[in-house]
Amino acid sequence: MSTLPAASLFLCILFLLPRLDKVSAADHAAGRTIPTRGTCNNTCGTIPVMFPFGTGFGCGHPYFARYVNCNAGTLQFSTGTGIYTVSSIDYPTSTIVVVDPLMSTCSSMQNSGSFSLDRMSPFTLTGSNIFVLLGCSTTSPVFDPSEDLCDTGSGSRVCSGLYSCKGVNGIGLPQNAPTSTCCVYDSLMGIGSGYSLDLPKLQCSSYTSIYEFGDEGDPMKWKFGISLQYNDSYYTTACKDCETSGGLCGFAGLDESFSCICRDGVNTTTNCFGHG
């Protein structure tokens, strides 16, 4: 059996490598996904992914990689209480919106799990969130008059709107049920330590969060989700230079030091000029 001479094999490899690694500048200019090392991309599904976020291990900032990653085309946010879908990221305002799959909405209400946010994470709740506890027991601690945890003013209109939804049947209540089992409050700071929502402890069957009302009179048009502010102070000059050169900012090594990930698969500590 004949074999290809070593010199000829070497020439074939040299001929093929530039074509295997090449990603054209036109793709980058057109906004198409730029793969790097087969793991980092600038989109996840339909959501643009920019620093400090990344689509996989080694992409973005290491602190954020613990909380946000791309899984099968879905950008996900993880906490101690579960994995939530990231529905949008607004980079100019440094905010993201996450959706709990078990959280109630006007069209669908169900028993929910708990929600927590690590106080040491780079995320905090924005002031636009209106959290609503649904189907609470009359002995729930949220109704303790000495605690004053429920908004009994404008919050009562929010409860009335939610309980007018047909979806309320999903938590065992009739449509337009009395709002005495509903509690509206603006912040989780008063519930336990950190940002924590423990439904079994609060004796409530479900919760929802509204971050934008739109047409306030129609709960079907309210926007449900949890709006989070993230710390944008991690963006450095080195990362800016990396992005200017067409690379994606990431990290490498045991010390998770900065790495500029280039389109030709090369990692550098500076930028990607001269790499694809």
Side-chain angles (χ1 to χ4, degrees):
M1 181 177 176
S2 62
T3 59
L4 191 65
S8 299
L9 180 60
F10 179 75
L11 290 174
C12 288
I13 292 174
L14 288 179
F15 180 80
L16 289 172
L17 278 176
R19 289 156 178 77
L20 290 172
D21 288 337
K22 184 176 181 181
V23 178
S24 71
D27 286 338
H28 182 61
R32 288 188 280 269
T33 299
I34 304 172
T36 58
R37 298 179 63 86
T39 57
C40 298
N41 293 286
N42 57 2
T43 61
C44 179
T46 59
I47 298 180
V49 178
M50 298 165 53
F51 192 85
F53 303 108
T55 56
F57 183 78
C59 312
H61 192 279
Y63 200 19
F64 286 81
R66 301 184 184 108
Y67 299 95
V68 177
N69 64 82
C70 185
N71 183 17
T74 299
L75 199 61
Q76 296 179 329
F77 175 79
S78 300
T79 73
T81 49
I83 299 175
Y84 310 94
T85 300
V86 177
S87 63
S88 66
I89 303 178
D90 188 341
Y91 291 99
T93 61
S94 302
T95 57
I96 71 172
V97 174
V98 302
V99 178
D100 182 346
L102 296 179
M103 185 176 70
S104 287
T105 65
C106 184
S107 58
S108 176
M109 297 190 190
Q110 57 195 322
N111 291 336
S112 305
S114 299
F115 174 80
S116 69
L117 188 63
D118 180 5
R119 187 185 291 274
M120 299 304 294
S121 79
F123 299 92
T124 57
L125 295 168
T126 68
S128 62
N129 293 296
I130 302 296
F131 283 88
V132 188
L133 299 173
L134 306 167
C136 299
S137 165
T138 56
T139 60
S140 169
V142 298
F143 297 131
D144 184 342
S146 64
E147 295 292 338
D148 193 25
L149 296 175
C150 299
D151 180 356
T152 56
S154 60
S156 61
R157 294 195 297 271
V158 176
C159 283
S160 296
L162 289 171
Y163 276 15
S164 71
C165 300
K166 293 182 179 179
V168 76
N169 299 141
I171 56 173
L173 295 175
Q175 192 174 3
N176 296 311
T179 59
S180 57
T181 61
C182 175
C183 172
V184 175
Y185 59 102
D186 296 331
S187 172
L188 295 182
M189 288 300 292
I191 308 294
S193 60
Y195 299 110
S196 178
L197 185 66
D198 188 340
L199 289 188
K201 180 179 178 180
L202 298 175
Q203 301 174 33
C204 300
S205 60
S206 186
Y207 85 96
T208 190
S209 174
I210 306 157
Y211 67 92
E212 187 176 318
F213 281 99
D215 183 353
E216 187 174 348
D218 185 357
M220 286 295 293
K221 296 181 180 179
W222 296 350
K223 293 186 177 181
F224 297 90
I226 302 171
S227 176
L228 303 174
Q229 188 93 35
Y230 64 86
N231 186 342
D232 62 354
S233 66
Y234 295 91
Y235 193 62
T236 62
T237 300
C239 181
K240 182 178 180 181
D241 291 343
C242 173
E243 292 178 340
T244 301
S245 67
L248 296 178
C249 303
F251 57 95
L254 295 177
D255 60 350
E256 297 181 334
S257 58
F258 171 78
S259 177
C260 184
I261 304 170
C262 306
R263 288 175 284 167
D264 63 356
V266 172
N267 287 9
T268 77
T269 57
T270 54
N271 56 56
C272 292
F273 289 117
H275 295 279

